[in-house]
Amino acid sequence: MSKSKIQDLDKTYSTMRTMTMASLAIVLVTSIFFVLTLRHAYGTVGQRVYVVGSLGTQAAVAASPDEHSEFEYRNVVRTFVSNMFQHDESTFTDHMNTALNLSDALSGRRLYEEFKKGQVYENYRKFGSRTMVKVDSIVLQNDVRPRTGKVYMKQKTFMADRQSAPISIAAAFTLVETDRSEKNPYGIQISGFDFIPYNAPISAAEQAIQEQQAERDRQQLQAAQQAAKQAAAAEAAIR
């Protein structure tokens, strides 16, 4: 084989090798781009699609088991106050246990001791009453670590066909990250739960209920007074 043909063959081989390497590089870049695009798509869908279960609302695709999302922080606060301030005779113990598992020992036990001093459970049994809480808002400070926040709510007491005027309750707290467990699936703990001033306005519907109850009380009082007068008159006539 002549020298020129050998040179041509070497040149052809080099060209083919270059083209092959270029093709492989293109395939590699395309594959990487496809994988990254697919991961981003699944991640976006997972962040926007949620499922509702016994442990609360969760993203369809979780970013990481160690990370906490905004809705988890809000849900743990809502779950804590709903169990700590809303119960009756049959749910008191279970609600207290749930709330205590979501709070540190100092905050939870301090509230529980206040309920014991106020004989809340005993009053539930004695009067057949129950309490209900409605969360007005939860405000979180996400630019500090650990996160802090405030919760604003109203609590009512129900007994038979009557209900109390709503009581305004608000508190400041700190959210501490902890290990997830069966008793605390959020992996978030309420700490430093301290009451703060809050005077929520009474809605028109709530005001109407209180006025109706006051009018019913007035009518019942008049009826009782009239019955007492009639009974006294009857007794005097007998004598």
Side-chain angles (χ1 to χ4, degrees), residues 116-130:
K116 288 181 63 177
K117 291 180 182 178
Q119 296 186 326
V120 173
Y121 178 73
E122 288 76 10
N123 289 332
Y124 285 152
R125 297 188 61 183
K126 182 177 180 180
F127 301 107
S129 57
R130 62 185 176 90

Side-chain angles (χ1 to χ4, degrees), residues 45-61:
V45 171
Q47 291 174 358
R48 295 185 179 182
V49 178
Y50 301 95
V51 293
V52 179
S54 59
L55 300 182
T57 305
Q58 301 180 20
V61 178

Side-chain angles (χ1 to χ4, degrees), residues 30 37 41 73 78 92-93 95 111 123 127 136 150 165 172 186 205:
T30 303
T37 303
Y73 286 109
R78 189 178 300 275
F92 181 80
T93 300
H95 283 202
L111 292 172
N123 289 332
F127 301 107
D136 292 334
K150 297 177 181 178
Y186 298 100

Side-chain angles (χ1 to χ4, degrees), residues 181-233:
S181 64
E182 182 178 356
K183 294 182 178 180
N184 186 345
Y186 298 100
I188 305 168
Q189 202 171 59
I190 306 289
S191 178
F193 193 87
D194 293 316
F195 293 108
I196 58 177
Y198 178 49
N199 187 18
I202 299 178
S203 66
E206 293 168 338
Q207 183 65 33
I209 290 174
Q210 295 304 310
E211 292 175 354
Q212 292 171 3
Q213 290 184 163
E215 177 62 21
R216 188 166 68 245
D217 291 344
R218 186 183 65 80
Q219 293 176 357
Q220 291 175 350
L221 178 60
Q222 287 181 346
Q225 291 174 340
Q226 184 66 26
K229 289 180 180 180
Q230 292 176 353

